[in-house]
Amino acid sequence: MKLSMSQYPSAIAQASQAVNEIDHQIMEVRQHIARLEGNADMVVAFETALKNDNQRRARRFEVLQINPEYQRAYDALNRLSTEKANAMARLEHLRNEFSVAKLEAQMQIAQQLVGLESRELVGL
């Protein structure tokens, strides 16, 4: 759907706002993931049976993998990343369409001016 010249600024602003909202959601999910990872670190920190860093990392991984909330958060992060990429593509598409529309308008004005000058030279 091609927009009129006056509609592009508003559409671009809305598309930009959509990208910003997705960014905000991504940051919220990342904070949630960080909290879940912090909780896993606390669980691992108090397990005295773990003797070295490799065991602690493996146990941390295990704690996170059995947490369904952690997997849902990562799924949400992946979904939001895809949504953001699509929203960025939409925003860029609108910007490009607006640039083309401006160039077409400039071309039309230039052709009209050339036509007027030609008529003046001919005496019409």
Side-chain angles (χ1 to χ4, degrees):
M1 170 179 76
K2 189 155 182 161
L3 303 174
S4 70
M5 288 279 286
S6 62
Q7 293 173 317
Y8 277 105
S10 175
I12 290 170
Q14 288 174 349
S16 180
Q17 187 175 4
V19 170
N20 291 339
E21 177 59 32
I22 294 170
D23 261 341
H24 177 73
Q25 292 173 359
I26 287 172
M27 290 308 298
E28 286 178 338
V29 170
R30 284 186 178 152
Q31 287 176 346
H32 184 63
I33 289 171
R35 282 191 298 274
L36 293 172
E37 289 173 344
N39 289 340
D41 289 340
M42 282 188 356
V43 167
V44 170
F46 292 104
E47 290 189 9
T48 56
L50 303 175
K51 295 182 172 54
N52 59 43
D53 283 342
N54 288 334
Q55 288 179 344
R56 282 187 276 284
R57 277 194 298 274
R59 178 64 178 136
R60 179 183 186 272
F61 179 78
E62 181 183 30
V63 168
L64 291 172
Q65 292 306 305
I66 62 173
N67 186 345
E69 195 174 340
Y70 185 74
Q71 187 59 48
R72 280 193 303 272
Y74 255 99
D75 291 344
L77 183 61
N78 289 334
R79 179 185 48 78
L80 287 168
S81 296
T82 301
E83 284 182 29
K84 181 181 175 187
N86 291 335
M88 290 293 295
R90 171 73 177 139
L91 175 60
E92 194 60 30
H93 180 76
L94 282 170
R95 287 178 176 160
N96 290 338
E97 275 187 349
F98 187 45
S99 294
V100 168
K102 288 189 297 185
L103 289 171
E104 287 172 347
Q106 289 172 351
M107 177 75 104
Q108 188 177 21
I109 291 169
Q111 288 173 343
Q112 288 173 351
L113 289 174
V114 168
L116 285 175
E117 289 175 0
S118 297
R119 287 187 208 140
E120 287 175 2
L121 288 173
V122 175
L124 295 175

